[in-house]
Amino acid sequence: MTTQPTPSPTPSPTIRSQNGAAEPNAGRTALVTGASGYIGGQLVPRLLAEGWQVRVLTRRAGSLDARPWARDVEVVVGDVADRGDLGKALSGIRTAYYLVHSMDDEPDFAERDREAAASFGSAARDAGVQRIVYLGGLHPAGEELSPHLASRVEVGRILLESGVPTAVLQAAVVLGDGSVSFDMLRHLTTRLPAMVAPKWLDNRIQPIAVDDVITLLAGAADLPADANRTFDIGGPDVLTYREMIQRFAAVTGMRQRVVVTIPVLTPRLASHWVGLVTPIGAGIAKPLVGSLVHEVVAKESDLLELVPVPGGLTGFDDAVRRAMEGTTPDTALRNLALTGAAVTAAAVVGSLATQPDSRWYRSLDLPAWQPPKAAFPIVWSLLYADLAASTAATLTGLDREGEGAARKRRTYLAAVGANLALNAGWSVVFWRARRPGAAALESAVLTASGADLVRRSAAVNPVAGRALVPYVAWCGFAALLSAAIERRNRR
């Protein structure tokens, strides 16, 4: 076996906790993988405050630059699936936190998770690690699980069989600002006063506050050496997702939401719907939605007998209040009102200019492939709604960006305004000026403007960018149709 080089020692930080100064203890060394993520990013300062010497393994050192604790930890740059990198990261470590899992929709995600967990467990055993702690997903027994939830369960099993005492903490929805599952709940509730949702929104869920998750993860490092098992963790409230929506609305001062469930909305369709309505991409929404298909309620609470939670577990309402403290306002509805008004204005101007029953239009020789007259108002109504929703989603994404976002927002609004002016102008040129050739040219410019909107939107919100493609395609079709009418009616 090849001996891996030991990282150069760095000065151990002294962190002052709420109870006073906590000097680092040479025997309390912890490795945290996934430290740039939501849970890992909060676990690291808790461990430091409790006197642990912390090392983190990250693929990009720059991903930790914004963390206030970045200079208080030892950083190893590497991949969790690389045995050489793991050897460096795990050398001299007592407790190793495994907080990584795939959140993409690539076909091989389960195999990647399986191989990474096996490598981590084997490297931890070889390095003499005394405990592994892993955060997995709460799940029912005896049911076919969604692919992502099943993968998380498999990762836990692999680590339990690694030969290193392992604590697999299994949680459902984590309530905290920055938690993807909480962000999905928040944005669905704030953006949709009424919604049509899958029937499994009535499945029971046992959410848990992020502060309690961090307390239990940190405490799991000191479990008895013979503890090698899963632990279900959940807060004091068991609710359906529908009830969580209504409780969130009540706590944040909103009216009760109207939720109508239907049996035909599959997890894949629901994830795309979530990706359009919320800032969460469909690829990340899919594993979240997939877990909601099951009832996820803790079957035991044994960890609470081993790890104290000062003050007891946090209830749902208090967890929501804490999570919403300091959050930036959601501008989605304001942006939708803005783009909806602008699109409606363009549609009204275009409609007033349109004269399908005029003598001039009825005298034209129209191509056989022109759609029936009744199709145009239906298609344009759908496309206008798509344009308003997609541009609003892009603006909301820009609002969440940092420096330079205001300038990008102004530029994007100018691009949308130009597109709408071209859109309304086509009707004036074709119907009022009665110049199909000029209308064809104007439609070509409109199509190019729409393609530019797709590019701009996709850079901020890929779902919004894709949603604009039908609008651009129809504009291109209008250019071809106008050109064909011009050719057939030249005098």
Side-chain angles (χ1 to χ4, degrees):
M1 173 177 167
T2 303
T3 302
Q4 302 296 339
T6 302
S8 300
T10 59
S12 298
T14 299
I15 306 298
R16 187 171 297 278
S17 70
Q18 295 178 349
N19 298 323
E23 293 294 335
N25 187 323
R28 289 167 67 81
T29 54
L31 171 71
V32 178
T33 63
S36 60
Y38 176 64
I39 296 295
Q42 297 193 58
L43 176 62
V44 169
R46 176 69 66 85
L47 293 174
L48 289 170
E50 294 182 1
W52 287 82
Q53 295 184 48
V54 179
R55 182 184 300 160
V56 300
L57 173 63
T58 179
R59 284 183 291 184
R60 294 185 302 105
S63 65
L64 304 176
D65 288 347
R67 302 288 184 175
W69 43 259
R71 295 188 177 183
D72 298 323
V73 301
E74 180 184 352
V75 178
V76 174
V77 177
D79 195 296
V80 75
D82 185 282
R83 285 300 298 265
D85 294 339
L86 287 175
K88 299 174 186 177
L90 289 164
S91 176
I93 292 296
R94 171 184 157 188
T95 299
Y97 285 90
Y98 193 76
L99 303 176
V100 295
H101 59 271
S102 299
M103 288 292 283
D104 58 51
D105 201 22
E106 296 298 323
D108 64 340
F109 78 88
E111 179 61 27
R112 283 187 279 119
D113 280 353
R114 183 181 305 119
E115 292 178 354
S119 295
F120 189 86
S122 177
R125 183 183 64 247
D126 293 345
V129 172
Q130 298 177 32
R131 173 157 301 282
I132 295 173
V133 181
Y134 169 63
L135 181 62
L138 198 58
H139 62 280
E143 292 187 20
E144 182 178 354
L145 304 178
S146 66
H148 281 85
L149 189 53
S151 177
R152 297 185 72 176
V153 173
E154 182 183 27
V155 166
R157 178 186 57 78
I158 291 171
L159 294 175
L160 287 168
E161 296 174 355
S162 66
V164 178
T166 297
V168 176
L169 279 58
Q170 300 180 142
V173 172
V174 176
L175 303 172
D177 181 31
S179 161
V180 181
S181 54
F182 178 77
D183 288 346
M184 186 172 84
L185 171 67
R186 172 195 172 193
H187 287 104
L188 286 177
T189 306
T190 56
R191 296 182 178 183
L192 297 176
M195 67 186 81
V196 176
K199 64 179 181 179
W200 26 265
L201 253 67
D202 290 320
N203 288 345
R204 296 185 305 151
I205 302 168
Q206 191 167 356
I208 183 170
V210 64
D211 290 344
D212 294 338
V213 174
I214 299 303
T215 295
L216 294 171
L217 283 171
D222 292 319
L223 289 173
D226 60 351
N228 187 63
R229 52 163 292 188
T230 63
F231 294 94
D232 291 352
I233 60 173
D237 299 304
V238 176
L239 307 164
T240 66
Y241 206 89
R242 184 199 298 267
E243 291 170 336
M244 289 168 59
I245 289 173
Q246 303 296 14
R247 290 270 287 270
F248 183 99
V251 169
T252 54
M254 293 183 286
R255 294 180 178 179
Q256 291 291 286
R257 279 16 205 167
V258 177
V259 182
V260 179
T261 57
I262 57 176
V264 295
L265 198 59
T266 66
R268 178 172 288 275
L269 288 175
S271 65
H272 286 288
W273 171 67
V274 169
L276 184 62
V277 174
T278 76
I280 301 167
I284 295 178
K286 186 177 178 182
L288 297 179
V289 171
S291 66
L292 299 178
V293 175
H294 313 285
E295 289 212 333
V296 281
V297 178
K299 297 176 286 295
E300 44 82 14
S301 57
D302 297 348
L303 189 59
L304 297 179
E305 299 177 5
L306 301 168
V307 178
V309 179
L313 294 172
T314 308
F316 180 86
D317 293 356
D318 286 338
V320 169
R321 290 189 188 95
R322 292 181 189 176
M324 294 301 291
E325 291 176 356
T327 57
T328 56
D330 187 7
T331 59
L333 295 181
R334 184 192 70 187
N335 287 326
L336 184 59
L338 172 65
T339 59
V343 169
T344 300
V348 168
V349 171
S351 297
L352 292 175
T354 301
Q355 296 178 314
D357 295 323
S358 66
R359 180 180 298 177
W360 169 77
Y361 184 69
R362 284 180 291 158
S363 70
L364 293 176
D365 179 17
L366 302 176
W369 44 272
Q370 172 165 314
K373 183 171 64 175
F376 286 90
I378 296 174
V379 171
W380 272 115
S381 295
L382 293 173
L383 292 176
Y384 280 138
D386 172 32
L387 180 60
S390 299
T391 52
T394 303
L395 288 172
T396 303
L398 288 172
D399 290 339
R400 293 193 303 272
E401 293 188 359
E403 187 177 352
R407 181 185 59 80
K408 291 172 66 176
R409 179 186 172 90
R410 289 193 298 269
T411 303
Y412 183 77
L413 281 172
V416 173
N419 184 270
L420 292 176
L422 289 167
N423 185 300
W426 179 91
S427 296
V428 175
V429 172
F430 185 90
W431 296 104
R432 297 293 181 170
R434 298 178 179 179
R435 299 182 60 187
L441 178 61
E442 208 252 13
S443 294
V445 177
L446 173 62
T447 303
S449 171
D452 179 60
L453 282 184
V454 169
R455 178 187 64 82
R456 293 173 184 269
S457 294
V460 179
N461 184 327
V463 174
R466 290 193 295 269
L468 280 172
V469 171
Y471 169 72
V472 178
W474 185 260
C475 293
F477 172 75
L480 295 175
L481 181 59
S482 300
I485 293 174
E486 166 67 16
R487 286 195 304 271
R488 297 172 72 95
N489 292 276
R490 286 175 181 162
R491 300 287 194 291

